[in-house]
Amino acid sequence: MSTVEISCVEVWREISNYLDGEISVELRERMRTHFEVCDHCTAVLDGTRNIVQLVGDGRIFPMPDGFSERLYKKIRERLSP
Amino acid sequence: MISSVNPLRTRPGDRCAFCNFLRVPASHSREHHFLLVVGMNMAQPQLESTEAELIKRVCGGEPQAFEELLRPYERLVYATAISILRNPADAEEVAQEAVLKAFSKLSSFRGESRFSTWLVQITYNEARMKLRRERQHLYESIDREQQDQEGEYWPRDFADWRPIPSELLEKKEVREALQNGINSLSPMYREIVILRDVQNLNLKDTAAVLGIPEGSVKTRLHRARLQLRDFLAPGIDGSWSSGQNYRKVRAW
C-alpha cells in the first residue's frame, strides 16, 4: 500500500506533535516517508528535537544559591507562633 | 503520570544531569530521569498516597509535615515563577509567596488534580498578579498578545543541524544562549515551554494550569519550539562546538 504524500507546510505544522507522539499512525508514516526525501524538513525536525532535549536538561534555570534555605526559613517563620 | 512522559529526553548514551552527570545506561529509564527532574520517584501511586498522608497530617494540626510535602517541588515552583517574571529575585519572592499561600489554603485542596499541578497553578497566578501589580502596561500588552498570536508559524531557517550534546550545557555561553532564547519568547510561549519541556508537565496538567484547551497547548508549544529553534540556529548549527561561522540556509 503506497503512502499518501504530504507537503512541507503540512509537515511543519505537525512537527511538534510528531515529536510528542501526538499524531495518528497514518500521519506519522506519511511524515516519516517525507523526512526520508526532504532535507529541509529533516533539518527542522532534527533542530527542534535537539532544542527540546537541551531545554529539558534542567541545568538552564538553576535555583539561586540558598533558595531552599530561605524558602524553609520563611515557612518556619509562618509556623512559629 | 508515567505514560505522559515526553519520549524525547534522556536515552542510553546521553548524559544525565540528575545522576551525577554519569552516562545514562540502557537500564536507566527515561521516566526515572524525568521524575527526578520534577522531584518525584518511580512509585507514583505510592507518592500520591504519601502526599495524601502528608496533606492530612498538615491539615490535622501537624504543620511541620508541609516541608516534606513541598520538598520535591521546589524546582517546579521556582521555574514556573521565573518563566513569567524572568528575574531570579522576583521569581524567588513569588515562589515564597506561592508556597505560603499553598500552605494556608491546603485545607481547600480537594485532590481533584495532583498536588504538584495545584501548586503550579497557585505559583502561576501569583506570578501573573505580580506582573499585573508592577507592570500594568506590560500586562495589558501580554493579554492582547495572547489573543493575537494563534496563527501559523513557519520555520525560517533550514540549516542542517548537528546534534548538540548535552555536555555543552556545562558551557556558560550555551546555557545563557538557551536562557536568552526562552526569554526572547513572548510570555504565552515561554510559559508553555517551561511547563511542558522544562518541567515536563503533561498536556492535561499544562492546560489546567493555564486554563486553556489542550489543543491550544499543542499549538503554542509548536510555535514556541520552532521560534526557539530559529532563535538558536546561529549556535546550534555547530558553531558552538566547532567555532565555525554560522551559515544560514533557506529553502527558497
Side-chain angles (χ1 to χ4, degrees):
Chain A
M1 192 178 80
S2 65
T3 309
V4 181
E5 285 189 15
I6 185 170
S7 70
C8 291
V9 167
E10 287 176 277
V11 168
W12 298 339
R13 192 178 283 135
E14 295 294 342
I15 267 187
S16 185
N17 289 331
Y18 180 89
L19 288 171
D20 286 342
E22 296 272 353
I23 54 173
S24 67
V25 174
E26 186 262 341
L27 180 56
R28 169 165 289 273
E29 186 54 27
R30 287 167 68 200
M31 289 177 73
R32 196 189 58 73
T33 306
H34 184 96
F35 289 130
E36 282 174 3
V37 295
C38 180
D39 290 344
H40 287 133
C41 287
T42 302
V44 176
L45 175 70
D46 289 346
T48 309
R49 178 191 285 122
N50 200 195
I51 286 290
V52 174
Q53 285 171 348
L54 291 170
V55 165
D57 182 279
R59 273 178 278 182
I60 298 174
F61 289 108
M63 292 192 296
D65 287 343
F67 174 85
S68 295
E69 290 77 8
R70 292 189 291 278
L71 180 64
Y72 291 104
K73 186 166 175 277
K74 280 263 176 196
I75 295 172
R76 284 174 202 136
E77 283 168 7
R78 173 66 65 90
L79 296 184
S80 60
Chain B
M1 174 67 199
I2 289 171
S3 63
S4 67
V5 163
N6 187 316
L8 290 172
R9 308 276 170 65
T10 311
R11 297 163 301 184
D14 286 351
R15 280 169 73 92
C16 176
F18 299 91
C19 299
N20 300 323
F21 306 111
L22 297 174
R23 287 273 169 191
V24 179
S27 60
H28 181 112
S29 73
R30 294 188 302 265
E31 289 79 5
H32 170 72
H33 174 80
F34 289 147
L35 295 174
L36 278 170
V37 171
V38 294
M40 300 180 185
N41 60 45
M42 283 299 289
Q44 183 64 19
Q46 193 183 340
L47 178 77
E48 284 173 359
S49 71
T50 308
E51 277 184 3
E53 277 298 310
L54 288 168
I55 291 167
K56 214 167 156 183
R57 280 167 56 193
V58 176
C59 296
E62 199 183 329
Q64 294 77 7
F66 185 70
E67 281 193 29
E68 198 181 330
L69 177 65
L70 179 68
R71 208 166 279 281
Y73 305 117
E74 293 167 23
R75 182 186 292 275
L76 183 62
V77 170
Y78 177 74
T80 304
I82 203 164
S83 75
I84 295 164
L85 299 162
R86 290 192 280 185
N87 171 308
D90 287 347
E92 179 163 352
E93 185 188 327
V94 160
Q96 290 177 353
E97 287 168 7
V99 162
L100 290 175
K101 183 167 260 185
F103 173 71
S104 61
K105 289 173 64 175
L106 192 60
S107 59
S108 68
F109 175 67
R110 300 277 171 242
E112 287 156 359
S113 64
R114 280 201 297 274
F115 173 71
S116 55
T117 309
W118 183 74
L119 192 56
V120 168
Q121 178 103 55
I122 291 175
T123 311
Y124 175 79
N125 289 340
E126 286 292 310
R128 296 290 298 227
M129 276 167 57
K130 184 176 178 65
L131 271 189
R132 188 193 290 270
R133 279 195 305 270
E134 297 184 2
R135 305 174 210 175
Q136 185 65 33
H137 62 289
L138 177 62
Y139 191 84
E140 284 167 358
S141 73
I142 290 169
D143 280 348
R144 267 200 299 279
E145 190 176 43
Q146 304 246 357
Q147 293 160 5
D148 291 342
Q149 295 198 3
E150 293 287 357
E152 302 273 18
Y153 180 88
W154 304 127
R156 292 176 188 163
D157 187 275
F158 296 88
D160 182 13
W161 289 26
R162 280 170 260 174
I164 302 294
S166 60
E167 283 90 333
L168 276 181
L169 284 171
E170 284 163 29
K171 284 190 178 178
K172 196 175 167 214
E173 72 177 276
V174 176
R175 284 199 309 273
E176 283 178 354
L178 282 160
Q179 284 174 2
N180 291 339
I182 292 174
N183 286 340
S184 76
L185 299 173
S186 60
M188 63 189 288
Y189 299 126
R190 201 164 61 239
E191 292 160 5
I192 288 282
V193 166
I194 295 281
L195 293 176
R196 287 282 286 138
D197 285 344
V198 179
Q199 296 299 338
N200 200 42
L201 254 64
N202 65 27
L203 192 60
K204 183 165 168 261
D205 288 348
T206 306
V209 166
L210 299 176
I212 59 177
E214 290 183 15
S216 300
V217 172
K218 286 186 190 177
T219 307
R220 290 182 192 182
L221 184 63
H222 171 71
R223 290 189 56 137
R225 285 170 171 176
L226 291 184
Q227 285 181 36
L228 205 47
R229 178 189 171 277
D230 282 337
F231 181 92
L232 292 162
I236 294 286
D237 77 322
S239 57
W240 276 342
S241 47
S242 69
Q244 303 286 314
N245 286 334
Y246 169 68
R247 274 192 328 157
K248 213 170 178 74
V249 180
R250 293 197 181 278
W252 50 84

